[in-house]
Structures are given as structure tokens and as C-alpha cells.
Amino acid sequence: MTDQTSTKFVPIEEYQALADMVEDLRDIIAAKDADSGHALPAEFARRIFMEIDHPVTVWRDYRGMTQRALSEKSGVASGYLSEIESGKKKGSLDVWRKLAKALDTSIDALVN
């Protein structure tokens, strides 16, 4: 008895295009899974990396908030927030938690 199944081939160009699409989809899924909401666009991240501004200031700007708005949302006194952003005060763990929550990011993203 002979095998009646026929073998079909996909042209190599079509196979490669499909393989590339699968890889792109895997990358998209991995990026979405890894996205914690704590990523900054390069222009904002550069301000932190180059130590131009305090991370709280950068995240506040990125979220489109004034110091007063962040103070109200976080419950951290505006004067204290100003001192943190200027580097005059370090801030307690409780304050960092409040700021991180209000800015929808992690404490690690705010501490320099």
C-alpha cells in the first residue's frame, strides 16, 4: 500500500514573512506583559538620567500635574514636596508610597 498523503510546501518567502509576524507578535505580547506603567518616554527619562531634575519632578511633569495637584492627590504637604523635589529633604517611606501611588509609578522610579 502506498502513502496517499500529499506534501505541500510553502514558498520560503511566505514562510519567512509568517515567521517574522509571529516574532513581532511575541515581542508585542512580551512588551505588554512587561509594561507596568512605570516607563517614561526618552525625553523625560533623560532628565532623570542626566540629573537635570528630580525624579518626582519629572514624573509629575509627565503626568501633567502641578506641585499643588500632586500635593492634594498624595496628601503630602506642598512645602515638603517642594523640599523633596529640590533635594533638601529625603522623605519618609510613607511619603514615597503616597507619591508613587499618586503618580501611578513605583517608589523605585522616584528615588534617585
Side-chain angles (χ1 to χ4, degrees), residues 78-97:
S78 59
Y80 192 42
L81 176 58
S82 178
E83 290 179 314
I84 289 171
E85 287 189 14
S86 67
K88 293 177 183 172
K89 298 277 180 157
K90 292 293 182 187
S92 67
L93 182 57
D94 184 53
V95 166
W96 288 112
R97 282 186 185 126

Side-chain angles (χ1 to χ4, degrees), residues 43-102:
E43 69 218 45
F44 289 93
R46 191 173 302 111
R47 289 169 52 194
I48 295 171
F49 180 73
M50 301 293 291
E51 297 181 1
I52 296 169
D53 290 309
H54 191 281
V56 173
T57 306
V58 175
W59 276 95
R60 181 175 55 73
D61 289 349
Y62 175 61
R63 298 294 188 212
M65 301 173 79
T66 62
Q67 274 189 346
R68 183 176 179 172
L70 178 56
S71 172
E72 290 173 2
K73 187 173 181 179
S74 67
V76 175
S78 59
Y80 192 42
L81 176 58
S82 178
E83 290 179 314
I84 289 171
E85 287 189 14
S86 67
K88 293 177 183 172
K89 298 277 180 157
K90 292 293 182 187
S92 67
L93 182 57
D94 184 53
V95 166
W96 288 112
R97 282 186 185 126
K98 289 177 180 180
L99 292 173
K101 182 176 181 183

Side-chain angles (χ1 to χ4, degrees), residues 1-7:
M1 207 181 246
T2 61
D3 185 10
Q4 296 294 323
T5 61
S6 62
T7 304

